[in-house]
Amino acid sequence: MSARPHKQSMSELKLRRLTEHNIRLREDLARPRMRVSEASASLIRYCKTTKDHLVPSVWGPVGKNEDPYAPPQKCQCIVM
């Protein structure tokens, strides 16, 4: 009688690892794919149509009211 009754054999461990690897590969195959040319065209289209406030050399200066990165303006309110 062995001291470890639930010890798995080496072949069972290898089988389990291969099965898990097979499952991950099947999940990768099921993932939707896109051609590189389509992805790059989509990225170029996004960059041309989306205004980036951090690149004023391309889009021109940004007004303070439009700039989400501008420091917040201090309130000029007086409380009495």
Side-chain angles (χ1 to χ4, degrees):
M1 212 160 129
S2 69
R4 298 179 190 166
H6 296 291
K7 182 179 177 182
Q8 292 181 339
S9 69
M10 191 62 100
S11 60
E12 290 173 336
L13 290 173
K14 286 182 180 180
L15 177 63
R16 191 181 80 205
R17 285 180 58 204
L18 283 172
T19 304
E20 291 171 355
H21 187 63
N22 193 357
I23 291 170
R24 284 193 302 270
L25 288 173
R26 288 181 188 272
E27 289 171 355
D28 284 346
L29 279 175
R31 187 175 300 132
R33 305 287 180 181
M34 178 185 273
R35 290 188 173 149
V36 174
S37 58
E38 293 172 9
S40 59
S42 174
L43 180 61
I44 291 170
R45 186 172 45 256
Y46 174 81
C47 290
K48 285 184 177 181
T49 59
T50 304
K51 189 171 185 176
D52 188 355
H53 299 290
L54 295 177
V55 189
S57 62
V58 175
W59 294 100
V62 180
K64 293 201 183 252
N65 58 348
E66 295 177 1
D67 189 2
Y69 303 106
Q73 295 180 355
K74 296 180 181 175
C75 181
Q76 299 295 330
C77 302
I78 299 175
V79 178
M80 296 181 153

